[in-house]
Amino acid sequence: MALASVSASPRLDAEVLLAQVLGTSRVAILADADRPLEPPQWEAYNELIARRAALEPIAYITGHKEFYGFDFVVDPRVLVPRPETELIIELALDWWPRKLLQANTIADIGTGSGCLAVTLALLLPQAHVYAVDLSRDALEVARLNAQRHDVASRVTFLHGNGCQPLPELVALLVSNPPYTVLAEVDQNVRRWEPQLALDGGAERGLAIPIHILRQAPSYLLPGGQLLMEIGAWQGVAALEVTQRAFPQARVRLHQDLAGLDRVVAVET
Ligand code: GLN
């Protein structure tokens, strides 16, 4: 099988790609497994298999990725949403009903596909979300996702660096910034996904997260919450930097399902 040496789930990948060609679901093709393909369908299928064999992420080939149960449009202009990022949604949903603030403003710094901004807008109907990105290309994808999920009227898209474009202080600040050391990132991820979304710069990838963490106190309302994704190796350093940026606040780390440090949280 062409995908066996490149994918951990070759059969699943092949089924997803076949469903894409036939414009149907995986379940439907499994139920109708004996139906022969027409030659043009074969050709289209083999093209997709060749792209996957060249290690292109399946989400770029299909143009979709599920995040927190919602379907997001993705393409090489944005990072493919990762399941571990869902932890930020869980923590935000846990905190929101307990918040003592009147304000319902949220900022998502480095929104990419908009998976955090749009999911929060969907699940918190009173919220107004500012979705910020340095990449105008990414903002276009995020805008599309907000429109598809009917939350565009409650998401404001802002182009710029870190928290700077925010027009007001917010109750909740979330971010999945670039935090990797590019040279250490899986070759295939590096080859296909946007470098701007991955490369955290110096300090073992923590330079950009630190930049945002240092800005954050000026943009967060007293009583607000900050949730930022980090790399598993950055827990101790991120905790220290964050505590310094918010000397009065309660700062803690949260682990993902694999038990790895994944989110630094601040309750001001
Ligand atoms: N989790 C991603 C990866 O390891 C990185 C995401 C990021 O830098 N924000 O590929």
Side-chain angles (χ1 to χ4, degrees):
M1 191 177 195
L3 303 183
S5 59
V6 298
S7 170
S9 53
R11 192 184 171 93
L12 174 66
D13 289 6
E15 288 167 5
V16 168
L17 295 178
L18 183 56
Q20 171 81 3
V21 166
L22 299 179
T24 180
S25 71
R26 246 186 83 225
V27 176
I29 54 167
L30 293 177
D32 194 14
D34 295 332
R35 183 155 69 99
L37 291 183
E38 308 289 336
Q41 292 173 331
W42 253 118
E43 201 176 309
Y45 175 65
N46 282 321
E47 254 168 52
L48 299 192
I49 293 286
R51 285 171 67 182
R52 184 65 190 128
L55 293 165
E56 185 169 348
I58 205 113
Y60 290 160
I61 303 177
T62 62
H64 295 264
K65 177 74 184 181
E66 189 183 297
F67 180 80
Y68 213 80
F70 300 112
D71 181 63
F72 283 85
V73 166
V74 292
D75 67 28
R77 291 177 289 179
V78 297
L79 192 82
V80 176
R82 310 284 205 265
E84 56 270 26
T85 304
E86 293 178 351
L87 178 57
I88 290 188
I89 302 291
E90 274 161 30
L91 294 168
L93 293 181
D94 178 59
W95 175 75
W96 192 264
R98 294 190 283 116
K99 85 176 156 67
L100 302 172
L101 286 164
Q102 292 294 313
N104 288 318
T105 41
I106 299 177
D108 175 17
I109 308 301
T111 196
S113 64
C115 63
L116 287 174
V118 170
T119 302
L120 290 172
L122 276 165
L123 297 174
L124 303 172
Q126 323 89 330
H128 188 92
V129 186
Y130 295 105
V132 184
D133 210 290
L134 197 51
S135 157
R136 290 188 193 276
D137 278 350
L139 286 172
E140 276 178 36
V141 179
R143 195 173 281 121
L144 200 63
N145 280 315
Q147 286 161 355
R148 290 180 76 236
H149 287 290
D150 263 343
V151 293
S153 62
R154 289 187 296 109
V155 183
T156 303
F157 296 92
L158 301 167
H159 175 252
N161 188 337
C163 302
Q164 243 162 17
L166 295 176
E168 62 175 321
L169 275 64
V170 295
L172 172 64
L173 199 152
V174 299
S175 182
N176 175 16
Y179 59 73
T180 66
V181 179
L182 207 54
E184 294 172 10
V185 172
D186 185 286
Q187 258 194 52
N188 304 315
V189 170
R190 209 179 339 147
R191 170 160 167 214
W192 291 99
E193 302 197 52
Q195 188 168 328
L196 191 66
L198 288 167
D199 187 358
E203 318 262 351
R204 304 254 321 122
L206 210 55
I208 291 179
I210 289 173
H211 174 67
I212 298 169
L213 286 167
R214 289 198 179 139
Q215 291 179 325
S218 314
Y219 294 91
L220 202 57
L221 287 163
Q225 162 108 338
L226 178 147
L227 298 166
M228 181 185 282
E229 181 168 329
I230 53 161
W233 64 97
Q234 293 168 330
V236 173
L239 204 56
E240 211 181 284
V241 171
T242 310
Q243 193 70 72
R244 231 178 293 138
F246 293 90
Q248 314 294 339
R250 201 166 84 98
V251 179
R252 56 173 297 193
L253 291 173
H254 294 271
Q255 285 76 34
D256 62 19
L257 291 174
L260 304 171
D261 287 341
R262 184 59 62 192
V263 171
V264 60
V266 182
E267 227 165 293
T268 60

